[in-house]
Amino acid sequence: IVKGDEKLSDTAATSKVIDPGMFGNDSVDSSDTSKNSSSSMSIDDMRFLKLIQKPIAGKDARHAPRFRRESEMYPAIASLFRLVERLICKFAILQDSTQKKSPSQSVKVYEKADVGPKDSDNYLHIDLGLFISDMWKRPAFNDRAVKHNKGPEIGAADPKYADIFAVVEAKISEDDQVDAYKQLLLYTYNIYWRQHDRRFAWGLTVCGTAIRACIFGNDGFLVSDKMDLSEADGRSAFIELLVNMAYCGREQLGFDPTIRYNSVRSMWEIDVFNDSDGTKTTCEIVSVMQAAERIFGRHTRCFRCKLPDDKNGTEKDNDGDSDSNGLGHFIVKDAWAYAEGDPDSPGFRDE
């Protein structure tokens, strides 16, 4: 689903190293851990075994749930993500020793499950949340004084939509797949609302032993083929997904490269392009005036900006806030534009 172009050889090698040694073949038996584990696997690592157990003989997998409640699935799903993430990091160390390309980031799971993000506009709880390893370095858009979060790593804190990379929705049975999609739709629009540098968002569903990855764009959402954790091919596809996420560029994870945090200036900035002459102007974001309100649509955002060297834009009033008259300030509108022409024609921008 995500390919890192020039790094494909590294991701393929990582996937092949991880899968055969840790997950065994198709005949996974949760009661027999000897052939599926090593001496380095902890109790937390072993929780995923029940999740990938093959269906009971003679019964449909959708009607033979391994868990009585959804909450019982959360530790198993989390342990699977953590195990694969640790193995990717371990293999990266081996790659460094052979001068190969290391992962750009890693996908981690929050420690807390079934929790309502504090920056949500509703009281809905998400089952599990994923975040990117370096997202904790991104201060809030309106927090100009903070360069880096010096507190504990983000995974130990309560999930916030400002930091969540993807929501994971769990269901006991594959019969509930449609309901899982509906709940992801309810949660994911908060990611657009809180993350102003997101072009598209990811989501995952775990229904029974079936994992599906979703990409939410501005005009719809795409769903991957089923990755059945009870089968070796399904587990391999899931591991390949996480490996490719670790190696791919930030744009492929859904982040807008034209909106970024400048750690040197302690300021968010946005690139503005002039279509007439092709020039680019980098502006500093002073505040967010309009956020993306919906999961689908043009995702219109409006920022109050100033030029980096514009001293008028930094004047303060008596309260210490930006000048109320807006001296040196202007509005930048960021939105998906309606495309004209044939999208299949040569040179047409793939947006």
Side-chain angles (χ1 to χ4, degrees), residues 194-213:
R194 296 298 180 182
Q195 298 181 32
H196 310 294
D197 58 341
R198 289 297 288 267
R199 280 183 169 173
F200 61 87
W202 288 81
L204 289 96
T205 64
V206 184
C207 299
T209 61
I211 289 186
R212 289 177 172 88

Side-chain angles (χ1 to χ4, degrees), residues 287-298:
S287 62
V288 180
M289 303 187 68
Q290 172 66 45
E293 297 180 315
R294 299 174 177 86
I295 191 170
F296 301 128
R298 299 186 63 188

